[in-house]
Amino acid sequence: MVPKVFREIIDLGDGRTISLETGKLAKQAHGSVVVQMGNAMLLCTVVSSYKESTMDFFPLTVDYREKFAAAGRYPGGFFKREARPSDGEVLTMRIVDRVLRPLFPSDYKTETQVMIQLMSHDEDVMPDALAGLAASCAIQLSDVPFECPISEARVGRINGEFVLNPSRSQLLESDIDMVIGASADSVMMVEGEMKEISEEEMADAIKFAHDAIKIQCAAQLRLAEAFGKKPVREYAPAKSDEAIASKVREASYDKIYAIAKGGHGKREREEAFSAVRDEVLALFSEEELAENVTLIKTYYSKVEKEAVRELTLSEGIRLDGRKTTDIRPIWCEIDYLPSVHGSAIFTRGETQALATVTLGTSRESNMIDMPTHQGEEKFYLHYNFPPFCTGDAYPLRGTSRREIGHGNLAQRALKGMIPDECPYTIRIVSEVLESNGSSSMATVCAGTMALMDAGIQMKKPVSGIAMGLISEGDRFAVLSDILGDEDHLGDMDFKVTGTVDGITACQMDIKVKGLPYDILVKALKQARDGRLHILGILKEAIAAPKPEVKPYAPKMITRRIPNDFIGALIGPGGKVIQELQKATGCTIVINEDPLTGEGIVEILGTKPAGIEAVLTKIDSLMFKPQVGGVYKVKVIKMLDFGAVVEYLDAPGNEVLLHISELAWERTDNVTDVINMGDVFEVKYFGKDPKTRKDKVSRKAILPKPEGFVERPPRDSSRDSRSGDRDNRGGDRDRKPRERRD
């Protein structure tokens, strides 16, 4: 039976459309949709168990995968099937998860899985911009409780004009690359990178995306209505007890308020709050605790959040005693690790990051092999968040999604400030050693100093700051340099990085509905003040990039050579380049410029003499004497009919100097004029038309003796063919050899 298909079309206004289709695929899922733009097709399904989870949190899994078949490609590697998700897929999972999660009911604890799969790829469509739309639409078609539809859109700006969902090629011309997630009423998530734009420009880009998202949310509701949306399922709501809530608040609010106002450190504050919670629990009998302990702790957490927020809104005081615009004390140090190419420590309050820089050739670039994107990164950053940095102990289970996301944010913040002419592949590793408030922004600051310490000539230093927002009705407070607790208790967490001239990257999660844009711009401008303050401290630690890389760090020289010489430098079976690397201690990498066809030779070494030897070898391979030019040569081999000489300016380039070209006078023995190791000048005459070999002459640059009479020319072709045969007779007559019958 042919299935009944329901479809909704979204017109993007520039000739492009997005279609939403349901009823054909994955009908056993609780909700499924195919989202298509051009030839790109995403299948999204949602399934939520009907059994309530015993976990005390919402077990939501958002999974995004790109199928290699979607692009007509095979997976790389030995095993020809998709394996663990790539970093790019993980980043897409994160931007979808961050918008979806807050819209499920807070008391909904049922295991839920949203799966998004790229089934068909289009080079002109970036599928991650459609993933949020697909996820929300699948949920709208299900019976899973969810507050309202959302969508996500990417914004670029080319020649001052905003572009919705640009292609990857268009992004190369764009000075903005932002993904915005929102409902029809509120912006909820922003993430992206920019080329030093202003706060107002960033707000305008968000508005542009939000206008498009409103249309996409309306389309989801129309499709769900046409499909016949199922009634929202019933589930056991969270238990409540107003008497317990009142008792907890009465016993704890004033004490929590006083502790919050005390300006304590993290550990001292946690111990004080824990003591109050224990006092609250002690007010209940064992029977009451056995039945309601989870509910009591939940109410206590709500009171703690209320008291801390009220302190900030009414008195402008924060948990650690700071005012809303204050930034925690900062200290920095560079060149801390003696053996690395560049290092720096950045400590702000109870957050500390140690960054290292390693320099390499293009061979060390980070290879990207996804169905939708292949290439390499010559600048990349890895972020590690070990358990001890928060005073915890838990097993390491590989790189977390959080580590991938925070590392990507810091990488995007810094990459635009790496000079285009930088010859190195650069890897930054940030080790977070303490964390109580944005370690990703500490990574940006430590990474900037480590790059400058390594001698990378950054265009401008970059700093970053994490901001927060607390709002109640018409009252609001923007918080600079938030603590971990303020991130949890606040209404907005946004991280902004930039130079003195503008924003380079941002990551924003907004929990309050209908945030006015004027408050957003105010928050961004307050972030700019904090950024500039931090930049001033960074410059005190290191005012400018070091002029050179460190003595033990490799020096990188690049040299372009004509394509014809690549083979000569590599040699048969790689013999020449391997011997050269062994002799000089340098690493030599040869790439071909796809535009010009030239060879790009990268020479990496710690010893200047070794690098110079490689350059000399390259120069010698490319040496072409000019007709009429005079060159210094050295005798390296004596023959009966002349000498083999080597150009001093191009070691390894040899040429035969015939005996007849040694001097104007008759020469019977080569050793009468020159000897092994002699250095003198010769003139280059180009190719001899008879021998088709290079011809040089010593006598041509000597004065001709008075009364000299030119003799008939010597038959150089016979001399060159005779090898070691005795040709010292010069022009003497020879009898023709008799022919034997």
Side-chain angles (χ1 to χ4, degrees):
M1 186 178 79
V2 178
K4 185 175 181 180
V5 178
F6 299 85
R7 185 177 291 108
E8 186 69 32
I9 303 298
I10 302 169
D11 187 353
L12 298 184
D14 57 1
R16 296 177 301 162
T17 61
I18 300 174
S19 75
L20 309 177
E21 178 186 285
T22 191
K24 184 180 289 187
L25 303 182
K27 289 184 287 184
Q28 292 193 46
H30 296 164
S32 69
V33 68
V34 173
V35 176
Q36 181 170 358
M37 181 175 172
N39 289 331
M41 298 177 69
L42 294 172
L43 168 65
C44 180
T45 58
V46 59
V47 173
S48 188
S49 174
Y50 287 96
K51 295 180 180 179
E52 187 172 349
S53 171
T54 57
M55 302 176 185
D56 60 354
F57 61 91
F58 176 35
L60 170 67
T61 301
V62 176
D63 196 88
Y64 171 80
R65 301 299 174 100
E66 295 184 352
K67 305 298 183 180
F68 275 84
R73 299 184 59 236
Y74 283 88
F78 185 77
F79 295 101
K80 298 302 179 186
R81 75 175 296 154
E82 290 82 359
R84 63 177 295 276
S86 66
D87 284 2
E89 289 168 316
V90 169
L91 294 171
T92 301
M93 297 175 199
R94 279 176 53 83
I95 63 173
V96 176
D97 185 296
R98 284 159 49 200
V99 184
L100 295 184
R101 191 174 294 271
L103 296 180
F104 289 92
S106 59
D107 55 355
Y108 189 66
K109 307 295 183 184
T110 301
E111 186 166 4
T112 303
Q113 185 179 52
V114 177
M115 293 190 66
I116 312 162
Q117 304 178 68
L118 177 69
M119 309 303 289
S120 176
H121 175 51
D122 186 327
E123 286 291 339
D124 293 326
V125 178
M126 296 185 69
D128 57 344
L130 303 174
L133 170 61
S136 174
C137 192
I139 295 172
Q140 292 303 308
L141 296 167
S142 75
D143 64 346
V144 177
F146 195 70
E147 185 174 323
C148 61
I150 62 95
S151 189
E152 294 178 343
R154 171 175 268 109
V155 175
R157 188 174 67 173
I158 302 173
N159 298 325
E161 297 292 329
F162 290 124
V163 179
L164 183 68
N165 290 353
S167 66
R168 194 177 297 278
S169 60
Q170 286 179 306
L171 282 179
L172 297 176
E173 307 172 36
S174 175
D175 62 352
I176 294 177
D177 177 9
M178 292 171 56
V179 175
I180 292 89
S183 66
D185 299 325
S186 304
V187 174
M188 305 173 67
M189 187 279 300
V190 179
E191 179 157 338
E193 61 185 88
M194 311 87 183
K195 295 180 180 177
E196 299 181 279
I197 68 171
S198 69
E199 288 74 16
E200 291 84 0
E201 289 173 314
M202 180 174 166
D204 289 342
I206 295 173
K207 289 179 184 177
F208 176 79
H210 195 192
D211 289 341
I213 287 172
K214 292 175 184 178
I215 297 172
Q216 296 173 17
C217 290
Q220 295 175 54
L221 293 175
R222 291 195 301 271
L223 180 67
E225 183 179 356
F227 177 68
K229 179 176 170 62
K230 306 169 188 174
V232 175
R233 71 176 62 177
E234 295 183 359
Y235 65 95
K239 185 178 179 181
S240 63
D241 190 315
E242 288 302 320
I244 292 177
S246 178
K247 186 175 181 178
V248 170
R249 190 181 193 285
E250 185 177 343
S252 61
Y253 183 89
D254 291 340
K255 294 177 181 179
I256 294 171
Y257 195 96
I259 294 169
K261 193 174 179 179
H264 304 295
K266 178 182 177 182
R267 189 178 299 277
E268 183 182 5
R269 185 170 60 248
E270 287 177 347
E271 291 174 352
F273 282 152
S274 180
V276 174
R277 187 178 65 175
D278 291 342
E279 291 176 11
V280 170
L281 292 173
L283 297 175
F284 296 88
S285 66
E286 291 185 6
E287 292 78 9
E288 289 174 316
L289 289 176
E291 185 179 354
N292 298 307
V293 64
T294 300
L295 185 60
I296 294 168
K297 290 180 179 179
T298 299
Y299 283 139
Y300 171 80
S301 297
K302 290 182 178 179
V303 174
E304 184 178 305
K305 179 177 181 178
E306 180 187 350
V308 171
R309 288 168 62 91
E310 183 58 34
L311 173 67
T312 302
L313 287 171
S314 61
E315 301 189 43
I317 299 175
R318 300 162 63 179
L319 280 171
D320 56 359
R322 285 182 292 152
K323 296 179 181 179
T324 57
T325 58
D326 289 346
I327 295 173
R328 290 170 291 173
I330 297 172
W331 67 265
C332 310
E333 183 178 339
I334 63 167
D335 201 17
Y336 178 73
L337 301 174
S339 298
V340 303
H341 300 165
S343 65
I345 304 171
F346 178 84
T347 306
R348 178 171 53 205
E350 296 169 303
T351 298
Q352 183 178 77
L354 171 61
T356 60
V357 168
T358 307
L359 308 177
T361 67
S362 59
R363 190 177 296 166
E364 282 71 51
S365 61
N366 185 37
M367 303 304 297
I368 300 172
D369 184 22
M370 297 174 62
T372 57
H373 180 45
Q374 301 86 48
E376 60 183 25
E377 294 176 325
K378 288 194 65 179
F379 172 78
Y380 51 100
L381 186 151
H382 293 150
Y383 165 103
N384 296 318
F385 193 88
F388 66 77
C389 72
T390 52
D392 294 315
Y394 53 81
L396 299 176
R397 303 295 188 195
T399 306
S400 68
R401 291 185 178 185
R402 180 183 183 278
E403 288 173 306
I404 292 173
H406 284 211
N408 179 68
L409 173 61
Q411 177 177 324
R412 299 176 89 177
L414 293 169
K415 72 177 186 180
M417 293 300 113
I418 304 299
D420 297 335
E421 64 274 12
C422 179
Y424 293 102
T425 291
I426 303 171
R427 180 186 184 227
I428 298 180
V429 178
S430 173
E431 304 291 348
V432 179
L433 307 181
E434 293 182 57
S435 182
N436 181 20
S438 195
S439 51
S440 62
M441 297 298 93
T443 293
V444 172
C445 298
T448 289
M449 293 188 294
L451 286 167
M452 296 167 75
D453 179 54
I456 300 301
Q457 304 303 304
M458 292 185 70
K459 299 174 185 176
K460 300 169 192 172
V462 181
S463 68
I465 188 169
M467 307 292 292
L469 174 72
I470 295 176
S471 63
E472 291 289 346
D474 295 333
R475 298 188 300 163
F476 71 92
V478 178
L479 311 180
S480 297
D481 182 24
I482 59 173
L483 302 171
D485 288 340
E486 291 173 329
D487 180 5
H488 171 67
L489 300 172
D491 297 322
M492 179 165 64
D493 165 31
F494 63 104
K495 305 173 180 71
V496 188
T497 72
T499 68
V500 294
D501 295 320
I503 299 171
T504 60
C506 74
Q507 185 180 91
M508 190 179 305
D509 292 296
I510 304 169
K511 306 168 193 174
V512 63
K513 294 181 181 179
L515 177 70
Y517 280 97
D518 58 343
I519 295 180
L520 175 60
V521 172
K522 172 180 168 52
L524 289 171
K525 288 187 174 180
Q526 186 170 317
R528 182 179 185 275
D529 294 338
R531 244 178 33 236
L532 296 179
H533 168 76
I534 297 166
L535 276 174
I537 297 175
L538 299 186
K539 290 180 180 179
E540 291 176 6
I542 179 166
K546 293 186 175 178
E548 296 181 350
V549 299
K550 297 182 179 180
Y552 45 82
K555 284 73 178 172
M556 169 80 85
I557 300 293
T558 59
R559 177 65 61 84
R560 286 181 172 265
I561 63 175
N563 182 274
D564 298 344
F565 291 92
I566 295 177
L569 181 55
I570 295 174
K575 180 180 179 181
V576 173
I577 195 170
Q578 290 172 9
E579 290 181 350
L580 190 57
Q581 289 183 114
K582 184 176 180 180
T584 61
C586 294
T587 298
I588 306 172
V589 179
I590 305 174
N591 297 307
E592 186 173 333
D593 189 322
L595 298 177
T596 65
E598 289 182 304
I600 304 174
V601 185
E602 299 175 359
I603 308 158
L604 190 81
T606 56
K607 298 178 181 179
I611 294 175
E612 189 60 36
V614 176
L615 292 173
T616 300
K617 179 65 176 178
I618 293 174
D619 288 340
S620 69
L621 288 174
M622 295 195 301
F623 176 74
K624 289 185 176 180
Q626 300 297 312
V627 175
V630 176
Y631 302 93
K632 276 192 174 183
V633 296
K634 180 179 180 180
V635 178
I636 61 172
K637 187 176 182 180
M638 300 290 288
L639 303 171
D640 289 341
F641 53 89
V644 177
V645 296
E646 180 184 59
Y647 292 99
L648 288 184
D649 291 337
N653 278 274
E654 305 168 0
V655 65
L656 174 66
L657 175 60
H658 195 265
I659 190 172
S660 63
E661 298 296 333
L662 290 175
W664 291 105
E665 297 85 358
R666 178 185 180 88
T667 304
D668 292 326
N669 295 294
V670 176
T671 53
D672 291 343
V673 180
I674 59 173
N675 290 289
M676 195 67 179
D678 284 356
V679 175
F680 47 85
E681 291 182 334
V682 295
K683 187 174 183 178
Y684 179 69
F685 286 93
K687 297 288 185 182
D688 188 308
K690 294 182 179 179
T691 65
R692 297 184 180 178
K693 294 182 178 180
D694 288 347
K695 178 181 178 181
V696 294
S697 173
R698 176 178 177 268
K699 74 178 184 181
I701 58 175
L702 297 175
K704 186 182 293 188
E706 188 176 348
F708 177 79
V709 178
E710 190 79 42
R711 294 184 175 84
R714 188 187 298 267
D715 188 352
S716 57
S717 62
R718 292 189 59 189
D719 289 344
S720 62
R721 289 194 303 268
S722 64
D724 292 332
R725 193 183 303 155
D726 184 3
N727 287 328
R728 286 175 292 178
D731 295 326
R732 65 183 129 188
D733 296 334
R734 296 179 181 271
K735 286 185 178 182
R737 183 180 297 175
E738 293 181 2
R739 181 175 178 179
R740 295 182 180 179
D741 294 329

